[in-house]
């Protein structure tokens, strides 16, 4: 037994002193300690290699290793003139520090991840930067509505959905929402949903599954963070022809709340102060029709539901429904029923603007 331990120790030490190991350690040292603006001297390189390899390497072999890394494709700036340091320049195929900052902000803003999952991803992203660049990643970004999911299985759920889509299979799962006591309420009395998954949409910090139920032919939306016990079925997907007939970008651009309701084209008259709001909501390519010096009109797909009506109300009378007539009437009825305290007090003129 003692001989076996000695052999393992000897093998471990031989690997530690291996020239191949030294080459990999040198690569890590450059990534960890250098970037476009910060370098490392040969003396520090040798000391760090000694710390990880157990012996002081020969300087000439380090020069040879640097040549190998450059042949491999690494852009290493060597000392010249008064400069005494080596620097590694990240390639175009690698993430820059600015790009990593953007990804970190996106992860922080994602509602579908738990805090633990978000922290883990951010930690891995930070390790892609040098130790000097990591100091600049400690910026504080204020995220509005910074709520996090409590679903610890979200990444597994997403993986299962991707596999099901790629293999053309249905999925089964349970779906829940919360009651006012913050307890889970399972839909369908806890029975499984069985659907054909077709796409994932990233919408307002959440991932939404676009699917068609096995016993229906209408598009449905499901929040990924509200799905549990996702299982890939042996049954093939159904109703693919229904999904292929819709323009998913157009279908989702106006679906406030992403609920399965009828999508229709709606013409809206907007005040000029809403240009940025309209472009943020419907995209920069939405066509504007100028009415006069103060107003323009747009025609966009929208769902006649409370989310859409609430958005209209929130804009304080600067937008109104022009067509179709049915949509105007539907909105007026919703306002009278749901927004009466707001619209029929001192703000009656606001309501009149909405339904002119």
């Amino acid at each position: 037994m003692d001989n076996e331990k000695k052999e393992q120790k000897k093998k471990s030490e031989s690997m530690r002193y291996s020239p191949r190991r030294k080459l990999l350690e040198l690569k890590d040292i450059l990534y960890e300690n250098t970037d476009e603006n910060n370098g490392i001297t040969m003396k520090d390189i040798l000391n760090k290699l000694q710390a990880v390899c157990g012996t002081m390497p020969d300087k000439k072999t380090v020069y040879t290793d640097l040549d190998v890394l450059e042949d491999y494709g690494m852009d290493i700036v060597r000392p010249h003139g008064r400069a005494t340091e080596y620097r590694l320049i990240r390639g175009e195929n690698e993430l820059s520090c600015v790009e990593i900052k953007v990804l970190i902000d996106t992860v922080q803003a994602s509602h579908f991840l738990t805090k633990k999952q978000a922290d883990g991803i951010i930690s891995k992203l930070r390790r892609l930067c040098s130790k000097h660049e990591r100091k600049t990643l400690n910026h504080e970004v204020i995220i509005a509505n910074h709520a996090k999911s409590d679903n610890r299985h979200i990444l597994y759920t997403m993986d299962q959905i991707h596999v099901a889509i790629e293999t053309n299979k249905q999925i089964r799962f349970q779906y829940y929402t919360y009651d006012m006591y913050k307890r889970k309420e399972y839909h369908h009395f806890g029975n499984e949903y069985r659907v054909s998954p077709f796409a994932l949409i990233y919408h307002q910090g959440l991932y939404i599954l676009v699917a068609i139920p096995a016993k229906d032919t209408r598009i449905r939306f499901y929040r990924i963070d509200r799905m549990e016990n996702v299982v890939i079925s042996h049954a093939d997907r159904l109703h693919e022809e229904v999904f292929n007939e819709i323009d998913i970008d157009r279908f989702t651009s106006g679906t406030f709340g992403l609920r399965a309701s009828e999508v229709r084209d709606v013409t809206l008259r907007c005040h000029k102060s809403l240009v940025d709001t309209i472009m943020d909501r419907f995209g920069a390519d939405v066509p504007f029709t100028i009415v006069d010096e103060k107003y323009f009109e747009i025609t966009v797909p929208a769902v006649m539901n409370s989310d859409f009506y609430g958005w209209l109300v929130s804009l304080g009378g600067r937008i109104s429904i022009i067509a179709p007539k049915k949509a105007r009437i539907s909105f007026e009825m919703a306002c009278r029923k749901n927004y009466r305290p707001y619209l029929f007090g001192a703000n009656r003129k606001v309501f009149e603007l909405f339904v002119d």
Side-chain angles (χ1 to χ4, degrees), residues 85-223:
E85 295 179 328
Y86 294 81
R87 288 180 289 119
L88 174 64
I89 308 299
R90 266 60 169 181
E92 293 183 357
N93 294 328
E94 296 179 272
L95 291 170
S96 68
C97 187
V98 173
E99 291 170 331
I100 291 173
K101 287 180 181 179
V102 172
L103 291 174
I104 288 176
D105 292 344
T106 302
V107 171
Q108 288 178 332
S110 297
H111 301 311
F112 67 93
L113 293 171
T114 66
K115 186 179 185 305
K116 183 177 180 180
Q117 289 168 337
D119 290 344
I121 294 173
I122 290 172
S123 177
K124 294 173 184 177
L125 287 171
R126 286 171 54 84
R127 287 201 290 271
L128 297 177
C129 296
S130 71
K131 65 180 183 182
H132 308 287
E133 292 173 325
R134 283 200 289 271
K135 296 177 182 177
T136 68
L137 299 179
N138 294 326
H139 63 302
E140 185 70 21
V141 177
I142 299 175
I143 307 294
N145 190 21
H146 194 198
K148 286 294 183 186
S149 169
D150 63 346
N151 189 337
R152 296 178 291 108
H153 307 291
I154 183 73
L155 298 180
Y156 171 79
T157 297
M158 292 181 64
D159 181 63
Q160 290 292 89
I161 291 172
H162 281 301
V163 171
I165 293 174
E166 291 170 4
T167 57
N168 195 41
K169 297 297 182 182
Q170 297 181 34
I171 59 172
R172 305 193 312 272
F173 59 90
Q174 291 177 295
Y175 197 75
Y176 67 89
T177 50
Y178 286 102
D179 63 16
M180 62 182 181
Y181 300 103
K182 299 182 180 181
R183 298 174 303 197
K184 291 181 180 179
E185 280 190 337
Y186 288 91
H187 293 206
H188 289 182
F189 305 100
N191 294 325
E192 287 185 326
Y193 283 68
R194 187 161 62 91
V195 305
S196 297
F198 288 100
L200 285 173
I201 300 172
Y202 188 69
H203 178 76
Q204 297 180 354
L206 297 169
Y207 270 104
I208 310 293
L209 170 65
V210 182
I212 300 178
K215 297 182 179 180
D216 201 344
T217 57
R218 290 178 293 177
I219 296 289
R220 291 287 188 268
F221 300 102
Y222 304 95
R223 281 179 52 168

Side-chain angles (χ1 to χ4, degrees), residues 1 3 11 26 29 39 89 91 97 123 155 181 189 214 224 228 231 266-267 281 309 317:
M1 191 66 176
N3 290 334
K11 183 178 180 180
L26 176 60
I29 288 171
I89 308 299
C97 187
S123 177
L155 298 180
Y181 300 103
F189 305 100
I224 300 298
E228 273 190 352
V231 176
V266 178
T267 300
R281 177 71 257 180
Y309 297 154

Side-chain angles (χ1 to χ4, degrees), residues 49-81:
L49 285 173
Q50 182 182 21
V52 294
C53 296
T55 184
M56 177 64 75
D58 179 64
K59 187 184 297 187
K60 291 182 179 180
T61 65
V62 176
Y63 289 141
T64 301
D65 291 340
L66 289 170
D67 291 337
V68 172
L69 293 177
E70 286 183 320
D71 290 339
Y72 178 67
M74 294 175 60
D75 186 3
I76 301 172
V77 178
R78 303 200 185 205
H80 63 279

